[in-house]
């Protein structure tokens, strides 16, 4: 459902074996309608409500959103996620000036290291009442001079 929305409005890349996927949304993406948002909320249950209560900072104006990155558990830890992120960023850079800002949020500490290796930096950490911490991250060469293409 969400990948269909991203496919209609942004960039979706899927590995040929369908064991990995990434979705990125441009800064001018339209808001999903109320029915869509209600369905997504229902699928996420209590976890979404807890994360929604967290006051995470808004991404910078004009930033793309790395909305989804998923890798089949049997393929995790082998670089597939990193490869998908690099490929997705290359597509974004082909549509915008190279090095465009791309924002994301993750509540998995393991993901922070992966994204940092690709050139993202943590811009905020927000505790959630469930004990989770949401890490807001940004790929912005103006912050640390890193480049993600290559």
């Amino acid at each position: 459902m969400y990948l269909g929305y991203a496919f209609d409005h942004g960039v979706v890349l899927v590995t040929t074996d369908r064991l990995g996927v990434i979705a990125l949304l441009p800064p001018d993406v339209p808001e999903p309608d109320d029915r869509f948002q209600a369905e997504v909320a229902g699928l996420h249950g209590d976890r979404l409500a807890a994360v929604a209560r967290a006051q995470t900072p808004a991404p910078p104006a004009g930033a793309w959103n790395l909305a989804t990155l998923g890798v089949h558990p049997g393929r995790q830890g082998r670089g597939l996620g990193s490869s998908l992120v690099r490929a997705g960023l290359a597509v974004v850079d082909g549509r915008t000036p190279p090095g465009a800002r791309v924002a994301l949020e993750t509540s998995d500490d393991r993901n922070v290291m992966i994204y940092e290796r690709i050139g993202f930096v943590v811009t905020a950490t927000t505790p959630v009442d469930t004990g989770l911490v949401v890490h807001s991250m940004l790929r912005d060469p103006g912050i640390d001079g890193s480049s993600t293409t290559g």
Side-chain angles (χ1 to χ4, degrees), residues 69-93:
L69 175 65
V71 174
H72 186 277
R75 290 289 306 274
Q76 291 176 356
R78 299 182 193 174
L80 182 57
S82 296
S83 294
L84 279 164
V85 173
R86 286 186 179 94
L89 294 175
V91 172
V92 167
D93 288 343

Side-chain angles (χ1 to χ4, degrees), residues 4 17 26 30 36 41 54 59 72 84 86-87 90 99 107 113 129-130 142-143:
D17 58 9
F36 180 92
H72 186 277
L84 279 164
R86 286 186 179 94
S107 59
M113 291 186 301
D129 62 10
T130 61
I143 291 177

Side-chain angles (χ1 to χ4, degrees), residues 15-95:
T15 60
T16 55
D17 58 9
R18 297 184 312 217
L19 296 178
V21 63
I22 187 170
L24 298 113
L25 296 170
D28 59 352
V29 67
E31 283 291 320
D33 63 33
D34 290 342
R35 184 185 63 75
F36 180 92
Q37 290 185 38
E39 286 184 47
V40 169
L43 291 171
H44 285 88
D46 293 341
R47 182 178 165 100
L48 181 65
V51 171
R53 284 192 301 274
Q55 297 296 313
T56 59
W64 280 68
N65 177 25
L66 194 164
T68 300
L69 175 65
V71 174
H72 186 277
R75 290 289 306 274
Q76 291 176 356
R78 299 182 193 174
L80 182 57
S82 296
S83 294
L84 279 164
V85 173
R86 286 186 179 94
L89 294 175
V91 172
V92 167
D93 288 343
R95 294 183 177 188

Side-chain angles (χ1 to χ4, degrees), residues 125-139:
T125 55
T126 307
V128 180
D129 62 10
T130 61
L132 292 174
V133 174
V134 176
H135 304 279
S136 300
M137 301 187 77
L138 183 65
R139 191 274 305 242

